[in-house]
Amino acid sequence: MWLLDVEAILDRENDIRGFDAEIEVLKRHNDKSTSYAILSHRWGTEVTYDEITGLTAMKPRKRDNVRERDGYQMIIKSCEQAKQDGYKRMWIDTCCIDKRSSAELSEAINSMYRWYRNAQKCYVYLNDVVESIFPAEQDFSRFGKSNGWPEWFSRGWTLQELIAPTEVEFFNNSWVSIGTKRDLTSSLEVITRIPEMVLKYEQVLRSTSRCPSVAHIMSWAAHRKTSRMEDRAYSLMGLFGVNMPMLYGEGSKAFQRLQREIIRTSSDYSIFAWNLKGQFLEHGSVLADDPSCFRGCTDVEKVAPSGFIKELEQYMRQDGLFLSKDASKLGSSQSNVDSPQLSRWDVTNVGIQVWLPIIPHRGSSYLKAVLPCQDRYGNLITIDFEFRGLNFVRSLHAVAIRNMWPQFKLLYLDCSQDAEESHRLRLHDGLASYGFTRCGTFPCEVVGNTVTLSTHGNNLVVLLYANDDARSRFAIGLGYHLGRVWARIVCDEYPAKQEVWSPWEDFAQQAYDILWDAPIEKSWHSNFHSTPVVIKDTHLPRSIWHARVVYDDSGSGYTNVMVDIQQCSGCCAAPRECTYRSRRDKLWLPWTSQTVASHELELDGRPAWLDECSGQEIALGDYGGYRPNGKFKRHGNIFEDMRELGIDPTDSVYRPVVSRVSSCRHMLHRIQTQHEIVTTSGFWIPLELHQPKRLSFPSNKESELLLKALSTRFSGKRLVKTVIECSQVHTVDREGRRKALGGDGNRSAAPGILTPLCIIATPLAWNKGPPSTQRRERFQNIREHFYASANLRDLAGIEARQKSTVR
């Protein structure tokens, strides 16, 4: 390993111009026979191997630039501290690895845990800590981006740098000592969830009997981050005592390789015990995608083979089996537990070969495997599998398993990595009113209105919206898994009570943790293959508003997501959640269809279903409702109302959009006709339209705001959002022969123009829930009780008389 010569580094810094360039500041040493100190820190503007060795030969301007960097000053300060403590050698990862050599980089990463373990002392530099005492309490106002603790505790590589060294001393950003690992063990256990025994005695990790389970160790890294995806796996190699070559660019495959290496050296079945809270609805491989899957596994413990049979007995008692009647099966289970097959694993071309007790499901390909490990309640952990082809794949669809004794069986478990999937989301949140604006996103920055989610890596993003004046804010979590998008709203319950409103990053981090730990099935409201549009409302605490998120599968490889704020329909005593769904009319996100359409055409190249006007004179912008006979009853027209309100409907932002109309491509009997004639398909008699054109509302912010502004006047009403105009209409048979002239009475205001088809829908802004009478009565009772307690009965009587007068 390369080690800095502490004396040479400091001498050169004191006399940079007069320093002999022939003196080596970096020399190779053996970590087992050399006494040295080592540094652990959060990377910033660092100094490389080339720069630290060639500093003297640099031109003055470049040399001064290097010396002004924070990373260089950190090297000088750490060397000064090492000299003060009596160490002549110092190792710092930024400048003691020649990264030009891939072989040296691979050797350094595979040896790094050993280097930290063999160091006589490790200095931990906390660059974001100003105080002269260790931050023993979580503080989101100071460390909002790292879960309330110094950023050093949120990084992937620093996990091994905390555990491996015996002597660790912490320093603040002024290089003032603020404590040692030995003195701060209790606080460090709270921050990292690493047991005190491991923090004090690193050798526990190499103990056969006392070593924590694989799942437990993985859970320490579940919340940590690295700059490169591969480093999430590489930074854990030392903790598990495995080595493997570095392949930067392999992405999430690195973590798959790490798990296979662990399996080759261990018989700890807890490596399969991830996802205890059911964050994922189904999964193929028995291996996890990344360390985040092990969240919640802090209390998972191994069960020794000698104790497995007793735990298995207890497991079966809970299922109502009588052990005295099954003594022979009990003896058979004991012999299988004692068999070396239980501890022998093989990674083969068809999967991981294991020997486990299983409970088959009668008449299906499912089974339940019992693992020799326990959860926090002392219960044995089980996994559901489904047989597919040559091996068993993990399935999180729980199946009803009959009560019977487990049978030991040889299984081949699928360990292939699922193909990475990505999905785009288009955000429509410009309509958010009442002072709410999007103030940020977490954990990644969203530029513009497009978000890309991936099954490997970024599969959850949190959008934060706030009204600073009202001190109200909420977060919307959007996730993607197995080809489906899910959404959930999280409200901030505390900002109104806080004297100083914490930064939005703090709340975003909290919301992210809540959403990650929550099972997806509790957040999931739709499978887009069956319900294209989902609308979700949640009441905002201590307010008269509710937040609304609408997500809609566009059918074109992306999902539309609309975020809006609306007034609540009644006094909400607690957060309420509403969901609306629609199968039809996916043309524009802020609409939900309320009718059964009968004719299909292609509008601008996309299929759409339309209603027949049935002899009525219908125009674009008409609004109203339906008569008992199913016919539309017009109450007014938006464009006419705009004139009364002083809004010019001929303005370009409100002017109807004209677009092309064509026959559907999948028609069974497509009619070969002359130009500008199209034919409908669908459930009713086909129509032949001459010179058709589509008129619709413009899909822009101004028209959407107009619809929202009119929501209080037209709540619950339907709106004609699209009409098809043409010069002639004929009904035709299935062979394409004209039967009769159609469109009688379907005339528009313009002479010679017919409107045979239209789309009548309800804007989402007009889709309001009915007032909650029960909640209003409850609020009235609370108010009257308050008046009585405050001796204000007279005031209540005056209010009652005023209400009577108003009525």
Side-chain angles (χ1 to χ4, degrees):
M1 65 185 300
W2 290 106
L3 288 174
L4 291 170
D5 186 323
V6 171
E7 197 73 34
I9 287 288
L10 296 178
D11 288 345
R12 185 178 66 177
E13 177 61 18
N14 293 330
D15 187 12
I16 190 67
R17 294 182 179 180
F19 185 77
D20 186 357
E22 298 297 324
I23 298 178
E24 295 180 336
V25 295
L26 271 175
K27 295 180 181 179
R28 282 193 177 275
H29 295 272
N30 189 318
D31 61 288
K32 293 183 179 180
S33 58
T34 305
S35 176
Y36 63 94
I38 201 165
L39 178 68
S40 177
H41 63 105
R42 175 73 180 99
W43 278 39
T45 53
E46 303 300 337
V47 177
T48 65
Y49 174 92
D50 289 339
E51 291 171 331
I52 199 68
T53 55
L55 188 66
T56 306
M58 288 182 183
K59 293 182 179 181
R61 177 177 294 182
K62 184 177 181 180
R63 184 172 58 220
D64 292 342
N65 177 270
V66 172
R67 296 174 67 199
E68 290 174 358
R69 295 180 195 171
D70 294 338
Y72 182 81
Q73 295 301 317
M74 181 182 63
I75 293 174
I76 299 301
K77 291 292 185 181
S78 60
C79 286
E80 290 176 348
Q81 186 64 44
K83 181 179 180 180
Q84 180 179 331
D85 293 340
Y87 299 110
K88 298 180 179 180
R89 302 285 182 265
M90 184 79 199
W91 190 88
I92 302 175
D93 56 355
T94 56
C95 61
C96 293
I97 302 175
D98 186 358
K99 298 181 179 64
R100 297 172 302 178
S101 170
S102 58
E104 181 169 332
L105 177 61
S106 181
E107 178 191 359
I109 292 178
N110 276 276
S111 307
M112 199 170 295
Y113 185 87
R114 189 184 78 242
W115 291 350
Y116 274 91
R117 186 181 63 204
N118 291 340
Q120 276 61 52
K121 196 166 190 178
C122 176
Y123 303 135
V124 175
Y125 177 59
L126 305 179
N127 65 311
D128 52 355
V129 175
V130 180
E131 293 77 12
S132 57
I133 57 173
F134 186 84
E137 295 184 1
Q138 205 168 16
D139 190 343
F140 286 97
S141 63
R142 294 162 56 199
F143 313 111
K145 295 183 179 180
S146 50
N147 200 32
W149 302 106
E151 190 179 12
W152 186 86
F153 290 101
S154 69
R155 308 306 300 178
W157 285 105
T158 59
L159 175 61
Q160 68 173 8
E161 294 164 12
L162 172 65
I163 294 175
T166 302
E167 297 293 332
V168 178
E169 187 171 3
F170 294 89
F171 294 86
N172 67 5
N173 66 348
S174 299
W175 280 93
V176 174
S177 178
I178 55 176
T180 65
K181 182 169 75 168
R182 193 178 301 277
D183 297 332
L184 299 170
T185 302
S186 299
S187 297
L188 294 173
E189 183 178 13
V190 172
I191 298 172
T192 63
R193 302 179 184 177
I194 301 173
E196 185 173 339
M197 178 67 69
V198 176
L199 291 171
K200 287 184 176 180
Y201 308 104
E202 175 273 339
Q203 58 269 31
V204 169
L205 295 180
R206 299 188 297 279
S207 169
T208 304
S209 59
R210 295 186 296 167
C211 179
S213 68
V214 170
H216 188 180
I217 296 174
M218 288 288 191
S219 71
W220 304 338
H223 295 79
R224 292 177 178 257
K225 306 172 186 176
T226 57
S227 300
R228 303 192 65 166
M229 184 183 298
E230 296 87 350
D231 285 339
R232 296 202 74 183
Y234 301 159
S235 62
L236 297 175
M237 292 191 301
L239 293 174
F240 294 103
V242 299
N243 297 99
M244 59 186 192
M246 305 297 100
L247 299 173
Y248 281 105
E250 65 176 328
S252 57
K253 291 182 181 178
F255 192 66
Q256 302 285 312
R257 288 201 296 128
L258 173 68
Q259 292 172 91
R260 292 190 184 95
E261 290 298 325
I262 296 172
I263 288 171
R264 289 189 176 96
T265 61
S266 168
S267 58
D268 186 348
Y269 281 89
S270 72
I271 196 172
F272 304 137
W274 50 273
N275 191 36
L276 295 180
K277 295 186 178 181
Q279 286 93 339
F280 311 109
L281 288 185
E282 61 178 287
H283 199 275
S285 174
V286 72
L287 301 180
D289 288 336
D290 59 60
S292 302
C293 297
F294 287 90
R295 293 191 183 200
C297 295
T298 306
D299 301 305
V300 173
E301 296 181 353
K302 298 177 292 185
V303 175
S306 57
F308 187 30
I309 188 63
K310 294 183 179 179
E311 296 298 334
L312 205 56
E313 291 176 20
Q314 180 63 29
Y315 175 80
M316 300 317 298
R317 282 195 182 97
Q318 294 174 356
D319 277 4
L321 292 181
F322 298 98
L323 301 179
S324 59
K325 297 182 180 181
D326 296 280
S328 61
K329 295 181 179 179
L330 181 61
S332 175
S333 297
Q334 182 66 59
S335 63
N336 281 292
V337 167
D338 295 335
S339 170
Q341 285 184 293
L342 183 64
S343 301
R344 178 183 174 183
W345 298 4
D346 287 316
V347 180
T348 72
N349 60 326
V350 293
I352 301 173
Q353 177 186 301
V354 297
W355 177 260
L356 281 174
I358 60 100
I359 308 174
H361 181 252
R362 181 180 294 139
S364 77
S365 58
Y366 288 92
L367 59 82
K368 186 182 294 292
V370 185
L371 303 181
C373 51
Q374 299 173 317
D375 61 16
R376 66 171 63 188
Y377 306 107
N379 300 319
L380 289 177
I381 296 172
T382 62
I383 303 178
D384 293 328
F385 289 103
E386 180 185 5
F387 183 71
R388 292 183 188 174
L390 298 175
N391 53 27
F392 287 86
V393 299
R394 181 165 180 164
S395 174
L396 300 186
H397 294 293
V399 293
I401 300 295
R402 55 181 174 166
N403 291 343
M404 63 173 290
W405 269 100
Q407 306 168 5
F408 277 79
K409 183 176 180 179
L410 188 68
L411 305 176
Y412 287 90
L413 307 181
D414 178 48
C415 60
S416 60
Q417 186 177 25
D418 298 331
E420 184 172 4
E421 299 178 15
S422 60
H423 192 77
R424 289 180 300 142
L425 307 179
R426 289 186 179 177
L427 302 179
H428 304 260
D429 55 2
L431 300 182
S433 56
Y434 300 106
F436 283 86
T437 57
R438 190 208 308 172
C439 53
T441 58
F442 185 88
C444 57
E445 183 180 358
V446 175
V447 179
N449 293 315
T450 301
V451 180
T452 300
L453 299 178
S454 171
T455 53
H456 296 163
N458 180 31
N459 56 5
L460 171 62
V461 64
V462 173
L463 314 175
L464 196 80
Y465 298 85
N467 180 330
D468 294 338
D469 295 333
R471 297 178 68 79
S472 179
R473 61 188 176 188
F474 64 94
I476 293 179
L478 300 173
Y480 181 70
H481 189 68
L482 294 174
R484 296 165 181 158
V485 176
W486 58 270
R488 188 178 180 185
I489 302 174
V490 177
C491 301
D492 192 353
E493 301 284 346
Y494 306 105
K497 302 177 182 179
Q498 297 174 354
E499 294 182 5
V500 179
W501 203 4
S502 60
W504 68 265
E505 293 90 350
D506 300 359
F507 174 53
Q509 173 73 65
Q510 296 173 37
Y512 184 85
D513 292 337
I514 291 172
L515 292 168
W516 186 271
D517 291 336
I520 284 182
E521 56 263 34
K522 294 183 180 180
S523 311
W524 206 319
H525 289 282
S526 172
N527 177 345
F528 286 135
H529 297 296
S530 59
T531 51
V533 179
V534 178
I535 310 166
K536 181 176 175 60
D537 290 349
T538 300
H539 176 70
L540 300 183
R542 301 177 303 278
S543 76
I544 59 172
W545 304 310
H546 65 253
R548 166 173 288 181
V549 57
V550 186
Y551 43 110
D552 159 62
D553 183 15
S554 69
S556 300
Y558 62 88
T559 297
N560 285 309
V561 179
M562 184 176 75
V563 180
D564 197 7
I565 302 293
Q566 299 206 357
Q567 285 191 338
C568 280
S569 54
C571 174
C572 296
R576 71 182 184 95
E577 296 184 353
C578 305
T579 302
Y580 309 91
R581 295 183 175 90
S582 172
R583 290 179 176 271
R584 305 281 187 194
D585 189 19
K586 300 192 296 177
L587 293 181
W588 185 31
L589 178 65
W591 304 89
T592 179
S593 176
Q594 300 279 337
T595 61
V596 179
S598 53
H599 293 275
E600 187 179 15
L601 288 171
E602 285 195 1
L603 308 181
D604 275 344
R606 299 182 61 185
W609 286 89
L610 301 98
D611 299 313
E612 197 167 324
C613 293
S614 303
Q616 303 176 83
E617 183 178 313
I618 291 181
L620 181 70
D622 286 349
Y623 59 84
Y626 282 99
R627 297 187 177 95
N629 61 4
K631 289 191 175 183
F632 181 74
K633 180 181 180 181
R634 178 183 184 273
H635 294 165
N637 185 278
I638 278 189
F639 295 108
E640 297 173 0
D641 294 344
M642 289 171 64
R643 292 188 180 90
E644 294 180 4
L645 295 172
I647 303 174
D648 183 8
T650 63
D651 191 298
S652 59
V653 295
Y654 302 116
R655 192 179 305 150
V657 176
V658 180
S659 54
R660 64 185 180 87
V661 180
S662 58
S663 303
C664 289
R665 301 189 184 109
H666 62 265
M667 289 180 61
L668 294 178
H669 302 284
R670 185 152 187 170
I671 304 172
Q672 302 297 327
T673 61
Q674 59 182 345
H675 187 57
E676 294 187 342
I677 296 180
V678 300
T679 306
T680 66
S681 61
F683 305 109
W684 288 15
I685 299 174
L687 299 178
E688 183 183 85
L689 312 178
H690 291 242
Q691 298 178 320
K693 64 179 180 179
R694 169 200 181 192
L695 272 69
S696 61
F697 280 93
S699 180
N700 56 35
K701 183 176 181 179
E702 288 76 13
S703 59
E704 294 176 18
L705 287 172
L706 174 65
L707 294 176
K708 186 171 182 180
L710 297 174
S711 62
T712 55
R713 299 175 60 181
F714 306 134
S715 177
K717 291 183 171 58
R718 274 69 164 176
L719 179 66
V720 178
K721 56 163 290 191
T722 298
V723 295
I724 303 298
E725 293 186 350
C726 61
S727 58
Q728 293 184 34
V729 181
H730 295 273
T731 58
V732 296
D733 59 20
R734 294 296 176 182
E735 300 300 326
R737 294 184 293 266
R738 293 179 182 176
K739 297 175 61 177
L741 183 67
D744 183 27
N746 300 327
R747 299 192 175 277
S748 68
I753 300 296
L754 303 176
T755 56
L757 300 173
C758 64
I759 296 177
I760 302 176
T762 301
L764 293 183
W766 298 6
N767 193 347
K768 290 181 175 294
S772 175
T773 305
Q774 182 179 3
R775 285 175 179 159
R776 287 186 173 180
E777 290 177 353
R778 184 188 307 169
F779 181 73
Q780 183 177 358
N781 293 335
I782 293 173
R783 183 172 53 187
E784 290 177 352
H785 178 73
F786 172 78
Y787 287 155
S789 301
N791 294 321
L792 296 176
R793 293 187 180 87
D794 293 340
L795 180 59
I798 294 172
E799 183 181 8
R801 288 193 294 273
Q802 289 177 342
K803 289 183 178 178
S804 177
T805 303
V806 172
R807 292 176 182 171

